[in-house]
Amino acid sequence: MIEFKNIVKKYRTKTIINHFSLKIDAGELVVFIGPSGCGKTTLLKMINKLIQPTSGHIYVNGSDISAMNPIELRRNIGYVIQNTGLFPHMTIKENVELIPKLKGEDPGDIDKKTRKLLQMVGLDPKEYLNRYPQELSGGQQQRVGVARAFSTDSEIILMDEPFSALDPVTRTTLQDELFTMQKELNKTIIFVTHDMDEAIKIADKICIIKDGDILQYDSPENILKNPANEFVADFIGKRRIWNNPELLTAVDFMIQNPVKITAKRNVLQAIEIMKENKVDSLMVTDKNNFLLGLVTLKGIQLQNRNLSVEALMEKNVLSVSDDANLISVLATMNKHRIGYVPVVNKQNQLIGLITRSSILSALSSQLIDMEVAF
Ligand SMILES: Nc1ncnc2c1ncn2[C@@H]1O[C@H](COP(=O)(O)OP(=O)(O)O)[C@@H](O)[C@H]1O
Ligand SMILES: [Mg+2]
């Protein structure tokens, strides 16, 4: 959909962008993030030809943009910058409708679309359509900026730190609205920010840039879990994963090889295995490692030692799937008042065991949000 191929940008002898190659799929929201001066704005402006690369090519829907008319190209790419760039002497309606009118769209359609977009960004059309930008707060103006970017009907929207001048509350609201609009209208969006929390919140993929190079390009989840190098780890902050507990899944905090026993073994053997491993419960599995049940020391110690585990085990043991997140696992454990829960894969094979202490040791010395605390 959008492809950077071997892009180099030099100002005199200084190389700003260094053989940058990246593919962005249609309908994705990709965030460019990196320290100030790393080349984010430069890359964005190359897509709408406000800046020419020194070498390399950019393709939009497979076509090399170097051959395209810049004005035509820009009409089909929404662009939002930090200080909206609304025209002060035009009303909100005129600002939003500027490009659709230039493109000669049907006036009735334009009017409908404008109202819908204002609604989507949380501005009541009746109240705001005929106002002028200076009568609006910064946050409201930025909302208009977003509505205007979406009004072009372009498949592509470029957003260069659009929310960075806003107060945190407005900013959060706009992030939510952008996320919802993007999913509903299915645009391809490149969003520049230097705020990792913002990136994690809205991105399908994050591209971490430093000195014009890509350090990592992946989903927020994968970047948080597996930062490519020290710089990325520092950049995202070591504790960030703990601020996003929904990104932690069962496999991240389970015990890998829980002590288990097959169903045909007897009570004597079960007690021996427990002693040996210093545990007071065993997962019961069949030869294919399917989870069949669970025996506890309390449940079997007074039983006839020759009885089979199968005869005594608790069946219908509650389990969680390997991709269950920390929040939902904790909710399950709290709801059923259980101190541990086995983890199974899609085939219902036992792959691990979560206990309160396995969670605690995974979280180790990290600060955790009290909301998720036990
Ligand atoms: N016209 C220019 N002439 C020389 N250097 C420039 C010019 N425009 C940008 N730069 C330099 O290119 C680098 C990348 O800038 P930019 O893309 O704006 O960074 P970012 O948006 O990531 O903060 C910076 O070091 C900046 O100083
Ligand atoms: Mg910039």
Side-chain angles (χ1 to χ4, degrees):
M1 169 72 194
I2 302 174
E3 182 177 6
F4 292 88
K5 209 165 183 179
N6 246 327
I7 294 291
V8 175
K9 179 66 183 176
K10 292 182 184 173
Y11 287 110
R12 300 210 185 109
T13 54
K14 196 172 166 221
T15 304
I16 304 299
I17 306 292
N18 187 18
H19 295 280
F20 185 96
S21 294
L22 186 76
K23 276 188 188 165
I24 294 168
D25 291 332
E28 270 188 341
L29 196 162
V30 171
V31 169
F32 284 1
I33 188 166
S36 177
C38 72
K40 305 180 294 291
T41 297
T42 306
L43 287 164
L44 213 60
K45 285 184 171 173
M46 284 181 189
I47 299 172
N48 59 11
K49 293 183 85 168
L50 289 167
I51 292 179
Q52 298 293 331
T54 307
S55 65
H57 295 271
I58 294 175
Y59 301 87
V60 170
N61 290 332
S63 309
D64 188 340
I65 62 167
S66 65
M68 292 184 197
N69 174 325
I71 306 297
E72 191 54 36
L73 182 70
R74 278 171 221 155
R75 272 188 200 165
N76 291 304
I77 297 181
Y79 188 42
V80 189
I81 52 175
Q82 188 174 319
N83 300 309
T84 55
L86 297 180
F87 294 107
H89 53 279
M90 287 186 185
T91 63
I92 301 311
K93 182 175 165 67
E94 288 164 341
N95 265 290
V96 174
E97 295 182 347
L98 191 64
I99 290 183
K101 278 192 175 151
L102 280 171
K103 287 165 87 173
E105 291 174 22
D106 176 77
D109 290 349
I110 295 179
D111 187 65
K112 250 188 259 159
K113 183 164 68 178
T114 307
R115 287 168 192 275
K116 181 177 169 217
L117 286 169
L118 283 183
Q119 210 100 54
M120 285 179 105
V121 296
L123 296 174
D124 179 2
K126 281 198 291 296
E127 189 171 339
Y128 291 97
L129 272 175
N130 298 311
R131 294 223 208 158
Y132 287 88
Q134 69 268 25
E135 299 169 38
L136 272 56
S137 72
Q140 290 168 333
Q141 289 185 31
Q142 208 59 18
R143 287 162 194 262
V144 177
V146 172
R148 186 177 60 178
F150 279 84
S151 77
T152 58
D153 284 340
S154 52
E155 293 163 51
I156 299 172
I157 296 177
L158 310 176
M159 307 183 85
D160 197 351
E161 307 209 21
F163 306 149
S164 50
L166 304 176
D167 65 90
V169 177
T170 309
R171 188 171 182 159
T172 304
T173 317
L174 275 173
Q175 287 163 354
D176 291 340
E177 278 160 6
L178 175 67
F179 184 86
T180 315
M181 281 171 87
Q182 201 261 346
K183 294 291 164 261
E184 187 176 330
L185 304 175
N186 201 32
K187 305 281 185 184
T188 306
I189 298 179
I190 305 183
F191 187 107
V192 169
T193 183
H194 55 257
D195 176 352
M196 197 44 138
D197 289 313
E198 184 164 78
I200 290 167
K201 198 161 161 202
I202 62 174
D204 292 313
K205 279 198 191 135
I206 298 176
C207 181
I208 303 181
I209 302 168
K210 184 176 179 249
D211 302 330
D213 277 329
I214 298 174
L215 296 187
Q216 193 164 7
Y217 180 45
D218 210 334
S219 66
E221 185 176 351
N222 286 338
I223 287 179
L224 287 169
K225 281 189 183 168
N226 307 305
N229 55 39
E230 272 302 298
F231 179 87
V232 174
D234 280 348
F235 194 70
I236 61 181
K238 291 214 164 47
R239 290 189 175 161
R240 193 165 302 273
I241 187 83
W242 316 114
N243 293 333
N244 297 277
E246 67 281 1
L247 295 180
L248 280 175
T249 55
V251 279
D252 299 318
F253 49 89
M254 68 186 188
I255 296 163
Q256 298 266 356
N257 294 304
V259 188
K260 55 192 185 187
I261 189 168
T262 50
K264 301 294 175 212
R265 300 289 204 107
N266 65 26
V267 169
L268 181 66
Q269 292 165 327
I271 292 174
E272 272 311 303
I273 294 175
M274 288 185 195
K275 270 195 206 155
E276 217 170 275
N277 292 282
K278 300 190 173 58
V279 295
D280 58 8
S281 63
L282 296 173
M283 301 297 128
V284 184
T285 54
D286 71 5
K287 63 179 191 309
N288 295 317
N289 205 28
F290 289 118
L291 180 63
L292 301 175
L294 168 85
V295 284
T296 61
L297 184 59
K298 226 167 97 189
I300 62 171
Q301 63 189 352
L302 302 176
Q303 299 288 339
N304 180 331
R305 308 258 142 157
N306 294 320
L307 281 176
S308 74
V309 162
E310 193 167 29
L312 294 170
M313 70 184 180
E314 293 169 28
K315 292 172 190 148
N316 305 319
V317 176
L318 199 66
S319 61
V320 295
S321 66
D322 48 0
D323 59 0
N325 71 41
L326 177 56
I327 307 277
S328 76
V329 171
L330 284 173
T332 302
M333 291 171 75
N334 285 337
K335 182 169 165 219
H336 299 277
R337 296 170 190 279
I338 47 177
Y340 48 82
V341 62
V343 181
V344 294
N345 64 15
K346 303 281 170 290
Q347 291 76 44
N348 199 38
Q349 289 167 307
L350 180 71
I351 60 162
L353 178 72
I354 293 171
T355 66
R356 295 202 182 273
S357 72
S358 79
I359 296 174
L360 280 174
S361 70
L363 296 177
S364 65
S365 59
Q366 305 289 343
L367 296 171
I368 59 166
D369 191 342
M370 290 317 288
E371 269 178 39
V372 250
F374 316 104

